[in-house]
Amino acid sequence: MRPTASILHLDLDAFFAAVEQRDKPSLRGKPVIVGGVGQRGVVSTASYEARAFGVRSAMPSHEARRRAPNAAFLSGRYDVYRQSSQIVMALLRELSPLVEPLSIDEAFVDLEAGGHDCRDLDALRALGQQLRADLFERTEGLTASVGIGSSKFIAKVGSEMAKPNGLLVVSPGSEVEVVSPLPARAVPGVGPVTMEKLERLGIKTVADLQRAEPAELVREVGRTWGEALHELAFARDDRPVSPHREAKSISIEDTFETDLTDRPELERTATRDAAIVADRLRRSGQFARTITLKVRLGDFTTWTRSRTLNGATDSTERIAQVARDLLAALDVREGVRLLGVGVANFTQAAQEELFDLEGDQVREQDVVTTSLEAPPVRVRGRGGWSPGSEVEHPDFGRGWVWGSGLGRVTVRFETRLTGVGPVRTFRTDDEALTRPEALLPMTWDSPAAEPVEA
């Protein structure tokens, strides 16, 4: 923990949903839910208007529809989200050379490394307010919550307490008082498993953690984590801001509307996903030695197969072939609910010449799950027009898919620049309706580095 409030944490508010509301004027002020749009989908982000109905991230889409039946359910536009994220990360790098992106919508900033006077709390508040104003202008309407404190833990607590669209500077010396009433899950690294163990000890809040005996925590969660929990409960956190945080893996998953038993279709999905993963891998400037296939059956039995190569690759063909080979070894006659392809074990150089299929190592893992895990990236249906996706028409201009079915697609023609636009319906095979070749330019479009993959 530092003697000054010199670490800033920024978290974009309901990021995906906020981008959709910005770009679709007819949805502003209304409940918007981004994620899987089918019955098997999972909510990725819900606008604050949707959260008022109890909709939350990682909630099954069918439950979200029950709670907010009149909300707009959109499939997501990840290139657009990445565009706005780049603008935000570039703005943060104007404050300091030490910026640590945690994901596409949040980051830590070392203000001391940027030469700011971190002893002056009023100056820090002014800096935070100016940052939020600049962000709103450059992203053309997005908002963020900002926390500033003496450590990463305290800065993140500050941004959480400031939500939505607020700022909190935690004065040095007040950290323990600030964190004591918070739930124990506010401590970094405390997830459902750890929380269940802590509740067995009667620990529900950070104050309870502070009163717990260190030996008791060590006995329940292990020495390393138990000692760390005790330190964090008193806001003792010396983790530095690390600007070169690297992705540990890159992956994509598809959840299907109905269980798939057709092996050629599953192979096509694996090939398509491998191409997306390989593209992200190449853009990261890395090569992968481990390729993973994940298959979940209709009864939620989950199989994970990984092959570690003798070399490293960023080849679409190589990744796709390994994914198909791993799929070929699985019995999918009962039907596949989810399929995913991923890469890991990164290196900075390719070693294609060392590939030897006989020498590749295969790791297998069979897991039986009883509940949904992390939300998948996409939900694949049978139609060609996903709700929320961008379209273009020679007469009406650019717009977005309101909905489709029964051979028809309904489009609202509007952008963030036009105001609320008209609605028109077309045949799904209408050749005049096309997908735009490029994103709408942003006023502050930036070539900043790509956001970190999870």
Side-chain angles (χ1 to χ4, degrees):
M1 188 163 58
R2 302 180 179 188
T4 60
S6 57
I7 295 180
L8 178 148
H9 180 261
L10 179 142
D11 195 353
L12 290 160
D13 297 319
F15 180 42
F16 293 174
V19 171
E20 299 299 343
Q21 290 176 317
R22 178 198 67 186
D23 294 351
K24 299 174 172 58
S26 61
L27 297 183
R28 293 171 188 169
K30 298 180 180 178
V32 174
I33 297 168
V34 178
V37 296
Q39 287 300 304
R40 291 188 167 183
V42 177
V43 175
S44 177
T45 307
S47 69
Y48 284 96
E49 295 87 353
R51 295 180 193 187
F53 293 93
V55 179
R56 295 290 182 270
S57 298
M59 175 181 287
S61 293
H62 65 80
E63 175 64 16
R65 288 184 184 278
R66 187 187 68 80
R67 296 189 181 204
N70 296 320
F73 284 78
L74 309 177
S75 57
R77 301 175 299 143
Y78 297 96
D79 287 343
V80 179
Y81 307 151
R82 187 177 292 110
Q83 179 192 55
S84 291
S85 176
Q86 290 173 347
I87 293 172
V88 173
M89 297 304 167
L91 175 60
L92 294 180
R93 291 186 181 95
E94 293 178 14
L95 292 180
S96 171
L98 296 184
V99 176
E100 180 181 341
L102 299 180
S103 64
I104 197 170
D105 61 349
E106 64 173 321
F108 286 114
V109 181
D110 189 325
L111 297 176
E112 191 173 66
H116 301 280
D117 183 1
C118 299
R119 297 168 297 180
D120 187 338
L121 298 185
D122 288 336
L124 288 175
R125 292 187 186 96
L127 180 149
Q129 296 290 16
Q130 187 62 51
L131 170 63
R132 292 172 54 247
D134 290 343
L135 186 149
F136 183 86
E137 178 185 0
R138 297 192 188 187
T139 62
E140 301 182 17
L142 300 184
T143 65
S145 298
V146 174
I148 302 176
S150 56
S151 68
K152 283 185 171 181
F153 176 27
I154 295 303
K156 188 169 177 63
V157 164
S159 67
E160 287 294 324
M161 294 178 70
K163 280 188 171 294
N165 192 22
L167 166 71
L168 179 62
V169 178
V170 180
S171 303
S174 68
E175 294 91 349
V176 174
E177 179 184 352
V178 168
V179 301
S180 292
L182 300 177
R185 64 176 178 274
V187 175
V190 175
V193 174
T194 300
M195 197 65 227
E196 182 179 349
K197 293 178 179 179
L198 294 178
E199 287 177 344
R200 287 202 292 264
L201 299 176
I203 296 173
K204 295 183 178 180
T205 68
V206 176
D208 294 333
L209 267 176
Q210 294 167 355
R211 290 189 289 267
E213 290 293 332
E216 192 176 30
L217 296 175
V218 167
R219 185 171 59 252
E220 192 65 34
V221 301
R223 177 168 298 279
T224 300
W225 188 211
E227 291 175 351
L229 275 177
H230 187 259
E231 290 294 295
L232 287 169
F234 289 94
R236 300 168 190 147
D237 177 17
D238 294 323
R239 293 174 298 159
V241 175
S242 303
H244 301 297
R245 185 173 181 265
E246 294 182 351
K248 295 182 179 179
S249 65
I250 298 173
S251 63
I252 188 169
E253 296 177 1
D254 291 289
T255 297
F256 304 108
E257 294 284 2
T258 58
D259 293 344
L260 290 187
T261 58
D262 182 62
R263 187 173 290 275
E265 185 171 356
L266 289 169
E267 290 177 349
R268 286 193 293 271
T269 299
T271 300
R272 188 164 48 237
D273 287 355
I276 296 172
V277 168
D279 179 64
R280 293 180 182 175
L281 182 62
R282 286 190 292 270
R283 284 192 281 113
S284 75
Q286 301 179 101
F287 302 86
R289 294 192 64 230
T290 300
I291 300 165
T292 299
L293 180 82
K294 179 178 177 181
V295 172
R296 178 173 296 148
L297 302 182
D299 63 0
F300 285 91
T301 298
T302 303
W303 291 331
T304 301
R305 297 289 187 273
S306 297
R307 174 173 289 168
T308 298
L309 309 173
N310 281 334
T313 187
D314 66 354
S315 164
T316 296
E317 293 75 16
R318 179 61 167 159
I319 295 170
Q321 184 59 59
V322 171
R324 290 193 298 266
D325 290 346
L326 294 172
L327 178 63
L330 298 176
D331 183 352
V332 297
R333 288 175 294 180
E334 294 183 13
V336 174
R337 177 188 182 96
L338 175 149
L339 184 145
V341 175
V343 293
N345 197 359
F346 298 142
T347 68
Q348 298 300 314
Q351 297 174 310
E352 295 277 1
E353 72 280 1
L354 297 181
F355 285 152
D356 176 6
L357 287 175
E358 296 300 322
D360 293 342
Q361 301 174 2
V362 180
R363 179 174 59 84
E364 302 182 358
Q365 182 180 6
D366 296 339
V367 181
V368 179
T369 59
T370 56
S371 61
L372 288 173
E373 297 176 356
V377 174
R378 301 176 299 175
V379 174
R380 241 184 233 293
R382 303 292 181 178
W385 298 103
S386 300
S389 62
E390 292 178 284
V391 296
E392 194 164 19
H393 190 279
D395 298 327
F396 300 105
R398 296 179 72 137
W400 57 279
V401 175
W402 183 284
S404 64
L406 301 176
R408 300 284 177 176
V409 56
T410 299
V411 178
R412 182 180 284 277
F413 289 97
E414 64 181 8
T415 71
R416 66 175 181 270
L417 307 176
T418 65
V420 177
V423 175
R424 298 288 186 272
T425 298
F426 307 85
R427 298 191 317 274
T428 54
D429 60 355
D430 191 325
E431 294 183 357
L433 205 60
T434 60
R435 303 180 194 279
E437 295 183 1
L439 301 179
L440 277 175
M442 299 286 293
T443 304
W444 289 84
D445 205 1
S446 167
E450 290 287 324
V452 174
E453 296 281 353

